[in-house]
Amino acid sequence: MIAPSKAFVAALALIFLAGCATTGLSERAVLTAKDRVAPALVHIRPVKEVFAEGQRREMVVVGSGFIIRSDGYIVTNEHVASEADYVRCVLSNNEQLEAKVVGIDPDIDIAVLKLVAEEGRTFPTAKMGASASLTAGQTVLALGSPHGLARSVSRGIISVPNRYLAAGDEMASNYHNWIQTDAAINRGNSGGPLVDLRGEVVGINTRKLAFADNVGFAIPID
């Protein structure tokens, strides 16, 4: 048996170390991106009035959102916050505050909330990115509260940066195409941020394709 040369062994070692360094760098980038936006992440529990069998009942809905201004303005989906009597918000430090619905736009499925807090209080905010420059294969993170599990993070890629859905589709929109991603988006993720590796919000997680595995859609932040 011929022993491998020192040069061959050294080359193998360099390839192995380079692979480890790449893996480590990728993981650090994910953690850094998550840490940049997590303080602005909000677990949203709107309380809506419903009538069943002639009786008034309160129904608690679960969704996600993120703070966009330091004075407490939050972005989420319209289908999460519309028709809410009031909204409970759980911040990243587990503090619970109420919020008012200050604006909705059903056409693009966006709602804006305002946290009710003492005058002059400031909150951590998420940094806005740009969705126009997204490319297929780019790594992204979906943050939110899937099935009520607050502060969850899923990792994936951009599958298609501008997925067109024809009129008549339940996810069609008059004003935008969708960011399609394989980062897991489930019920409760709605309104949460889709984040790139710079820790900037590039989309708003909104829907998933029924009966499909990890085919989700986000509203482009632009």
Side-chain angles (χ1 to χ4, degrees):
M1 181 176 180
I2 301 174
S5 67
K6 291 183 179 180
F8 179 74
V9 172
L12 283 179
L14 286 173
I15 292 171
F16 175 77
L17 290 173
C20 291
T22 301
T23 301
L25 178 62
S26 175
E27 184 171 314
R28 286 197 298 273
V30 168
L31 293 174
T32 299
K34 182 265 296 180
D35 289 342
R36 284 176 177 167
V37 73
L41 188 64
V42 180
H43 175 66
I44 297 177
R45 294 185 295 177
V47 179
K48 302 185 181 185
E49 182 181 72
V50 296
F51 290 89
E53 299 178 353
Q55 295 182 337
R56 176 189 177 277
R57 298 178 183 175
E58 288 188 340
M59 178 181 66
V60 179
V61 181
V62 176
S64 308
F66 53 98
I67 303 172
I68 59 169
R69 273 185 23 175
S70 61
D71 52 354
Y73 281 91
I74 297 170
V75 164
T76 186
N77 281 139
E78 183 271 343
H79 75 260
V80 170
S82 64
E83 301 178 357
D85 294 336
Y86 58 97
V87 181
R88 296 191 188 103
C89 293
V90 183
L91 307 185
S92 60
N93 61 359
N94 287 326
E95 180 183 4
Q96 296 191 36
L97 293 175
E98 287 196 10
K100 297 179 179 178
V101 180
V102 296
I104 61 172
D105 189 335
D107 287 329
I108 56 173
D109 200 5
I110 292 294
V112 177
L113 315 178
K114 174 67 168 66
L115 289 169
V116 178
E118 61 270 21
E119 186 176 353
R121 180 174 177 181
T122 59
F123 299 91
T125 60
K127 185 177 181 181
M128 299 297 102
S131 53
S133 59
L134 294 176
T135 59
Q138 182 175 339
T139 298
V140 286
L141 310 176
L143 282 73
S145 304
H147 301 286
L149 302 173
R151 298 182 299 281
S152 293
V153 181
S154 62
R155 175 182 178 179
I157 62 170
I158 299 292
S159 303
V160 179
N162 55 348
R163 171 65 70 193
Y164 172 73
L165 297 173
D169 189 287
E170 65 174 9
M171 293 184 297
S173 168
N174 295 327
Y175 298 109
H176 61 73
N177 292 333
W178 297 84
I179 300 170
Q180 181 184 329
T181 177
D182 71 348
I185 296 175
N186 290 285
R187 187 178 183 88
N189 273 119
S190 291
L194 187 71
V195 181
D196 64 15
L197 289 186
R198 290 187 292 270
E200 298 177 354
V201 179
V202 294
I204 302 170
N205 305 321
T206 302
R207 301 182 186 274
K208 62 177 292 185
L209 187 64
F211 310 112
D213 292 330
N214 295 344
V215 181
F217 299 90
I219 299 171
I221 200 62
D222 288 354

